[in-house]
Amino acid sequence: MRKGGRNLGGFGRMMVFAGLFAMGHAQELAPDDPAIASKLGVWFQDAENLFDSDAGIWSDSSGNGNDASPVGAVNVGGPVTFLGPTLSTVSGGSFSGSDLPSVRFSAGVEDLLQIEDINGGAGLSNLTIFVVYNVEQAGGDASLCRPVGIGSVAAIQQNLGNNYNLGSDPSIRKDNGFVGAGAYSEVFPLQTTFIRSSRMTPVAIHEWFNSDGTLSQVFTIAGSSYTTGTDDFFMGDLRAGVAPVPGVNGTGISQSDFDVVQVIVYTDALSDEQVAGVNEWLANHPAGTANRRDPGLVITEISVSLDLRTTSLTWSSRLGRVYSVDKSTDLMNWQEVDDAVDSQGESTSFDVVGPEPGEVRLFFRVRESE
């Protein structure tokens, strides 16, 4: 133990854990990093500032001017008018202690956004999609709940095939077939804000889920020829909504509630390393560049008074929370010092009397009280 009120951050058990945790993560790769920016097709983020709730338009951050707007009236097999979604908030899950601004697509409303020609009007043979979203319910048939994807049967009231919709069963829905249903290694995380990453090449499809800051590959298939017949991108009721799609047989309804927080689409297949890097960036900026991840509960400073009678702790905190402080000499046996330390805002400090005689070294931990 060092004297003189100097920073003794190494004492903080939470600090040790935070350091070990970070070692296993990829290096952040921003969506518009020069290494991948040339293939950035669309980027929707920061809904609080970039989504116009009156017009239903979500401004594109890719620099390509590919704003998302409501599909509006369609009358091929029958009249349907697709409205814009609404501005909302959704739980930050494992990525933020605060709610995140989101664009909400509601059950009972035909709501669908469209972005045309993200690849110059040509279909895609390489594609990478990242979406941060939360599906509250996926309707009666989860395969019909497809919050984002390339191509939409509902929007054109025709099934031309070779779409690429992210189904919530989970699967990739092509509408002239499907890929992956029943073959994912993890269940779809309903009512959870998570990052879904999907990559298509001419010979393979890979998918990853990330619900807790750790990227997990959940599906891969190789050997077939994968392409899309369109480069129009959609968000909302891509395949089914309040009523069956007019003029298309075999469709049901899918009254689904879901919040889209952020969407990024590349017209190329990113490498595994790049997928991991963008995931790390999204985990730390779940709502976009205007929002940084809440660092969580971390001891940021420990100091000891010159007379060795007081140890001062400071940690990152949240308004309205109550904390407990424990101490230990061996990291195995813990003694509670105080279980009712009120938060002082984003940072809270607390003085512990001691060290006591015989305590050659001390470790501290801070917990949110029940």
Side-chain angles (χ1 to χ4, degrees), residues 291-305:
N291 305 84
R292 178 75 185 175
R293 182 179 184 175
D294 185 337
L297 180 55
V298 178
I299 294 177
T300 57
E301 184 177 356
I302 301 179
S303 61
V304 180
S305 63

Side-chain angles (χ1 to χ4, degrees), residues 86-357:
T86 58
L87 180 65
S88 187
T89 59
V90 68
S91 167
S94 297
F95 303 112
S96 175
S98 304
D99 287 348
L100 301 173
S102 65
V103 173
R104 183 169 181 81
F105 297 83
S106 301
V109 178
E110 302 283 12
D111 38 16
L112 184 61
L113 298 180
Q114 179 180 17
I115 309 93
E116 297 181 328
D117 300 338
I118 69 168
N119 192 44
L124 295 152
S125 56
N126 291 282
L127 171 70
T128 310
I129 300 174
F130 299 90
V131 55
V132 183
Y133 65 155
N134 186 314
V135 179
E136 183 176 322
Q137 60 170 333
D141 183 347
S143 73
L144 296 179
C145 175
R146 310 175 189 178
V148 301
I150 298 289
S152 169
V153 167
I156 62 174
Q157 296 182 358
Q158 299 178 68
N159 186 354
L160 302 181
N162 282 338
N163 293 328
Y164 195 91
N165 297 172
L166 304 192
S168 300
D169 42 344
S171 65
I172 301 298
R173 293 286 160 170
K174 303 283 288 177
D175 291 311
N176 55 343
F178 60 86
V179 179
Y184 282 63
S185 61
E186 296 182 13
V187 298
F188 187 87
L190 282 172
Q191 300 178 2
T192 301
T193 298
F194 78 108
I195 305 167
R196 183 174 182 175
S197 308
S198 188
R199 181 180 66 197
M200 180 191 77
T201 72
V203 296
I205 289 175
H206 298 87
E207 286 233 290
W208 297 262
F209 291 170
N210 182 347
S211 59
D212 60 2
T214 301
L215 185 63
S216 176
Q217 185 167 317
V218 294
F219 176 71
T220 183
I221 187 170
S224 297
S225 177
Y226 299 110
T227 59
T228 69
T230 179
D231 63 341
D232 292 347
F233 186 77
F234 295 85
M235 291 181 279
D237 296 330
L238 272 66
R239 184 63 173 87
V242 179
V245 178
V248 180
N249 295 326
T251 65
I253 64 173
S254 180
Q255 296 193 18
S256 305
D257 289 307
F258 48 88
D259 288 86
V260 177
V261 178
Q262 192 167 182
V263 181
I264 309 169
V265 183
Y266 295 90
T267 57
D268 198 5
L270 301 191
S271 68
D272 286 357
E273 182 180 3
Q274 290 169 337
V275 169
V278 174
N279 257 271
E280 188 68 13
W281 189 93
L282 287 170
N284 290 323
H285 305 79
T289 53
N291 305 84
R292 178 75 185 175
R293 182 179 184 175
D294 185 337
L297 180 55
V298 178
I299 294 177
T300 57
E301 184 177 356
I302 301 179
S303 61
V304 180
S305 63
L306 288 171
D307 59 8
L308 296 181
R309 293 184 178 181
T310 304
T311 302
S312 296
L313 309 177
T314 301
W315 62 88
S316 56
S317 57
R318 299 172 185 168
L319 190 64
R321 304 298 175 91
V322 178
Y323 297 91
S324 297
V325 176
D326 305 323
K327 69 177 182 178
S328 172
T329 59
D330 57 9
L331 290 176
M332 297 179 61
N333 300 297
W334 292 92
Q335 177 185 349
E336 188 172 76
V337 178
D338 196 311
D339 64 354
V341 181
D342 291 328
S343 170
Q344 298 163 8
E346 294 184 356
S347 181
T348 297
S349 297
F350 178 77
D351 290 340
V352 180
V353 176
E356 297 177 359

